[in-house]
Amino acid sequence: MKRRDLFKLAAFSAILVSGTSLLASQDVFAQDKKWKIGFSQATTIEPWRAQFNKDIIAEAEKHADVELIITDGEDKTEKQVADVENLIRQEVDALLISPKESAGLTGVVQQAIDAKIPVFVLDRNVDTDQYTQFVGGDNKLIGRAAGEYAVELLGGPGKAAGNVVEIWGGMGTQPAHDRHDGFHEFTDKEPGIKNLLDQQSGDWKQDQAYNIMATALRNHEKIDLVYGHNDPMAYGAYLAAKDVGREKEIKFIGIDALPAEGVTWVKNGELTATFLYATPGAEGLRQALKHLKGEKVEKTITLPTEKVTAENAAQVLKDKGM
């Protein structure tokens, strides 16, 4: 072989080896790449929100290619806005957000969308439909289930009668309005049902619901049923009634069905019923990963609900390992 050909062969071999090394290093990089996913939580002081965080963290631990960044809005809209702005600056690959309130977080969600960051809205919606996906329960459907059961407890369709105290969640959140509207689709058909309060907000908190109920008990000699937009508020109302010896004459309905809270309170006979509102954290993270890996995701994922009463509370706890 001529020397010139030897040089050509050596040069080609060097290029081939270099190219193979480059491909190998790219493959290693692809394997090592982590998706940076930001999650903006509205607050962590509510037990349902704490469970929400546990669920998303547990799901993230199943995926070696995920770097999860969680922020806490501390129950303040302005803090959550700042959190999302910071996640945008960090150039996260996807943003998951559960807004404290719809209107207040819409602007910063739009900023993320404009920055070409896929946005997954969890639990509470925002006032735009330009996000990638919404994952959450159907609050109106759950409200309807609660309203239908309330009618049953108060005598059945066409015969239901009684005084009802409704304790709202946050007035600026769509879930509170949906849980109210769904409930009243059934109860408003019953002329014998009287609503004693006008949009009293407990802001999802047990202590505030206790105070609302304490006032209602002072002002009304007969209360037949309490509908709390979540279990802690229903339980706060129960405690207020118990403190004045009236808890046995009232039915208490809540929403969330966390095992250590709503389901246990039903099992103990403190709440009459609770309706499952599953946290969307784990499913939201799974959906974000599907999208990032090029798979198609639906615009809306609706999580299922379940009624928990004294008849099935023990089994629900057993199924949860409790």
Side-chain angles (χ1 to χ4, degrees), residues 1 5-21:
M1 185 178 290
D5 294 332
L6 284 170
F7 279 131
K8 287 181 179 178
L9 179 61
F12 177 76
S13 298
I15 291 170
L16 182 62
V17 169
S18 174
T20 303
S21 299

Side-chain angles (χ1 to χ4, degrees), residues 1 17 54 72 96 108 130 136 149 205 221 227 233 235 255 281 304 308:
M1 185 178 290
V17 169
K54 288 178 184 177
D72 178 5
L96 279 62
V108 76
Q130 294 184 40
Y149 190 56
K205 296 177 178 62
E221 292 183 5
Y227 170 47
M233 293 194 300
Y235 187 64
I255 294 173
V308 180

Side-chain angles (χ1 to χ4, degrees), residues 88-136:
I88 294 170
R89 286 194 293 270
Q90 293 184 57
E91 298 182 343
V92 292
D93 294 300
L95 171 68
L96 279 62
I97 179 170
S98 186
K100 172 174 170 55
E101 55 174 348
S102 302
L105 273 299
T106 298
V108 76
V109 164
Q110 190 63 53
Q111 287 180 38
I113 293 167
D114 292 343
K116 308 302 181 186
I117 298 172
V119 176
F120 295 78
V121 182
L122 311 181
D123 171 42
R124 298 176 182 171
N125 223 322
V126 287
D127 297 337
T128 177
D129 63 356
Q130 294 184 40
Y131 50 77
T132 302
Q133 186 183 65
F134 173 83
V135 181

